[in-house]
């Protein structure tokens, strides 16, 4: 549930409500809406819900107490109708601009990273990606350069000005990765690693949470709820394909998830057509598809010589292919945004801003 404070509520009344919530064994979360204070009440309320709602309604300064019907609370649009906008260095994610995350699957050498970083930055990427700790299906495959790669990523940031994103696989890696990287990525295999989610929830770095390849949208949002309820509101969701019976593609890219998420949550949504398709030539059409259905951005893997890549060789774009992708995506994104100005096509139809049909 959330407590809407009256416009006239004093600081003391707000504190009074928060201490009451704490005394009931629940946690208060502030949402500083533009006009008034809204406090989410999070915890295992169980059968006490009605009693707690009427007790809170009776407190001084409280205007309204409303239940949050979704199991995910802090991440729901019900609690926070306006979009979450994340700022990291000069990049802004979720404000309607096109976020382009690009870089190699794995950081292999300093030169390979710098060559890629320079090229993607010049072509208009807004965030540099590169794997340092790699979650590989086989223990015999290249596992990443680890801390050495983190150092190269930090150097590449200094060189290009782009914030860097890289994956963190274990709670005990969170501090070192957060020391070097600007955004922490949680990979598909770890989406339900709750101790990792809680650990990244405690650091002052945005987190990109990739969808578990077997996860429903609700399980994904509950995973995001772990991060946000641990204290980190800056979560980006990344649709990277789910496993289905189809074998021509590495995964099946769930494009419907994009407008659905915009309807259910205020968090920004990115698509990753590289891991979703596993095929270089399918990356461009699916990137366009993701932007067309309202994604806030795209993550793609780019390598100067993909055929020599130590991981995901089949799906990485060449530098030329990335430049070509940008020349197509920028106007597609502009066109999609312009549709928002058209009341017939905007909002609900694109699923942006929380419109759209209800209930499932
Ligand atoms: C990656 O982005 O490098 C990666 C391993 O992705 P995923 O977790 O989606 O497979
Ligand atoms: Mn990869």
């Amino acid at each position: 549930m959330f407590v809407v404070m009256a416009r006239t509520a004093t600081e003391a009344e707000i504190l009074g409500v928060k201490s009451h919530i704490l005394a009931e064994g629940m946690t208060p979360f502030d949402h500083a809406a533009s006009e008034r204070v809204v406090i989410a009440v999070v915890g295992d309320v169980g059968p006490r819900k009605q009693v707690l709602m009427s007790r809170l309604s009776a407190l001084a300064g409280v205007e309204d107490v409303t239940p949050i019907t979704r199991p995910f609370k802090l991440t729901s649009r019900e609690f926070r109708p306006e979009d979450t906008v994340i700022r990291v260095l000069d990049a802004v994610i979720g404000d309607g601009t096109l976020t382009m995350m690009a870089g190699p699957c794995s950081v292999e050498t300093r030169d390979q990273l710098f060559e890629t970083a320079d090229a993607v930055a010049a072509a208009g990427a807004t965030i540099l990606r590169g794997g340092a700790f790699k979650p590989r299906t086989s223990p015999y495959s290249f596992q990443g350069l680890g801390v050495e790669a983190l150092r190269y990523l930090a150097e590449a940031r200094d060189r290009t000005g782009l914030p860097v994103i890289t994956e963190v696989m274990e709670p005990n890696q969170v501090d070192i990765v957060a020391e070097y990287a600007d955004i922490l990525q949680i990979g598909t295999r770890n989406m339900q690693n709750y101790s990792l989610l809680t650990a990244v929830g405690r650091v002052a770095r945005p987190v990109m949470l990739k969808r578990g390849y077997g996860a429903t949208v609700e399980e994904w949002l509950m995973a995001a709820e772990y991060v946000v309820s641990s204290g980190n509101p800056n979560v980006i969701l990344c649709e990277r394909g789910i496993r289905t019976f189809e074998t021509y593609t590495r995964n099946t890219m769930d494009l419907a998830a994009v407008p659905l998420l915009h309807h259910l949550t205020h968090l920004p949504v990115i698509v990753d057509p590289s891991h979703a398709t596993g095929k270089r030539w399918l990356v461009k059409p699916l990137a366009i598809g993701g932007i067309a259905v309202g994604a806030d951005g795209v993550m793609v893997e780019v390598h100067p010589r993909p055929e020599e890549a130590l991981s995901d060789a089949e799906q990485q774009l060449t530098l030329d292919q990335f430049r070509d992708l940008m020349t197509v995506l920028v106007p597609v994104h502009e066109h999609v945004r312009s549709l928002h100005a058209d009341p017939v096509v905007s909002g609900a139809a694109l699923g942006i801003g929380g419109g759209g049909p209800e209930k499932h």
Side-chain angles (χ1 to χ4, degrees), residues 5-333:
M5 300 301 294
R7 248 176 265 268
T8 51
T10 62
E11 275 303 315
E13 286 168 341
I14 295 167
L15 273 176
V17 170
K18 287 185 182 169
S19 24
H20 188 97
I21 294 167
L22 285 168
E24 295 273 358
M26 311 285 284
T27 312
F29 277 92
D30 249 307
H31 163 34
S34 42
E35 290 183 347
R36 58 188 66 201
V37 173
V38 179
I39 305 165
V41 184
V42 175
D44 189 9
V45 64
R48 290 180 298 140
K49 191 168 174 181
Q50 287 309 325
V51 178
L52 186 56
M53 280 182 74
S54 49
R55 278 190 197 149
L56 289 170
S57 307
L59 296 179
V62 171
E63 183 170 296
D64 197 15
V65 181
T66 313
I68 304 177
T69 55
R70 311 280 187 199
F72 43 91
K73 307 292 178 191
L74 303 173
T75 54
S76 73
R77 276 245 187 240
E78 279 173 284
F79 171 52
R80 193 190 146 97
E82 59 280 1
D83 292 335
T84 287
V85 175
I86 298 173
R87 286 164 211 282
V88 46
L89 303 185
D90 289 339
V92 189
I93 306 151
D95 67 337
T97 56
L98 175 63
T99 295
M100 282 303 294
M101 303 183 179
C105 176
S106 302
V107 176
E108 298 167 3
T109 64
R110 198 165 178 267
D111 287 349
Q112 168 247 16
L113 180 65
F114 286 5
E115 188 179 350
T116 316
D118 292 350
V120 298
T126 57
I127 294 169
L128 177 66
R129 70 148 283 149
F133 297 99
K134 294 303 300 177
R136 304 306 302 280
T137 304
S138 164
Y140 310 118
S141 303
F142 177 60
Q143 303 285 311
L145 295 182
V147 178
E148 187 185 345
L150 295 178
R151 283 196 216 103
Y152 298 156
L153 284 166
E155 282 184 64
R157 171 192 42 230
D158 295 343
R159 202 180 154 91
T160 58
L162 298 184
V164 298
I165 179 170
T166 196
E167 177 163 354
V168 52
M169 291 187 359
E170 293 173 29
N172 66 17
Q173 288 170 350
V174 171
D175 286 345
I176 183 90
V177 176
E179 192 181 319
Y180 289 98
D182 305 292
I183 306 175
L184 308 181
Q185 175 171 319
I186 304 288
T188 191
R189 296 158 182 84
N190 270 319
M191 190 207 81
Q192 284 179 314
N193 180 340
Y194 298 118
S195 52
L196 181 59
L197 297 174
T198 308
V200 297
R202 295 193 181 124
V203 295
R205 290 276 178 278
V207 170
M208 187 166 89
L209 180 62
K210 293 190 114 185
R211 181 181 188 172
Y213 56 77
T216 63
V217 166
E218 193 157 294
E219 286 163 342
W220 188 11
L221 287 170
M222 294 308 286
E225 190 79 11
Y226 265 87
V227 182
V228 179
S229 66
S230 301
N232 189 343
N234 294 320
V235 177
I236 303 154
L237 300 166
C238 177
E239 163 60 37
R240 49 78 69 204
I242 48 176
R243 183 165 288 180
T244 67
F245 49 79
E246 183 51 65
T247 52
Y248 274 109
T249 47
R250 185 175 178 184
N251 291 285
T252 297
M253 189 156 157
D254 182 6
L255 281 181
V258 176
L260 180 61
L261 285 167
H262 280 311
H263 175 65
L264 294 172
T265 179
H266 48 83
L267 298 174
V269 183
I270 299 288
V271 291
D272 170 357
S274 302
H275 292 89
T277 65
K279 289 183 162 63
R280 209 174 344 275
W281 64 276
L282 282 173
V283 168
K284 179 173 163 183
L286 271 298
I288 294 171
I291 292 304
V293 293
D296 296 285
V298 180
M299 169 180 264
V300 287
E301 289 185 337
V302 183
H303 193 289
R305 288 158 296 280
E307 66 289 351
E308 293 172 18
L310 298 180
S311 57
D312 288 347
E314 314 243 300
Q315 70 193 30
Q316 305 208 51
L317 300 181
T318 63
L319 305 182
D320 273 344
Q321 284 171 326
F322 180 72
R323 286 186 273 266
D324 168 61
L325 177 66
M326 288 304 291
T327 61
V328 176
L329 271 192
V330 170
V332 169
H333 177 258

Side-chain angles (χ1 to χ4, degrees), residues 336-351:
V336 172
R337 297 309 302 183
S338 74
L339 298 179
H340 287 227
D342 179 347
V344 181
V345 201
S346 74
L350 286 169

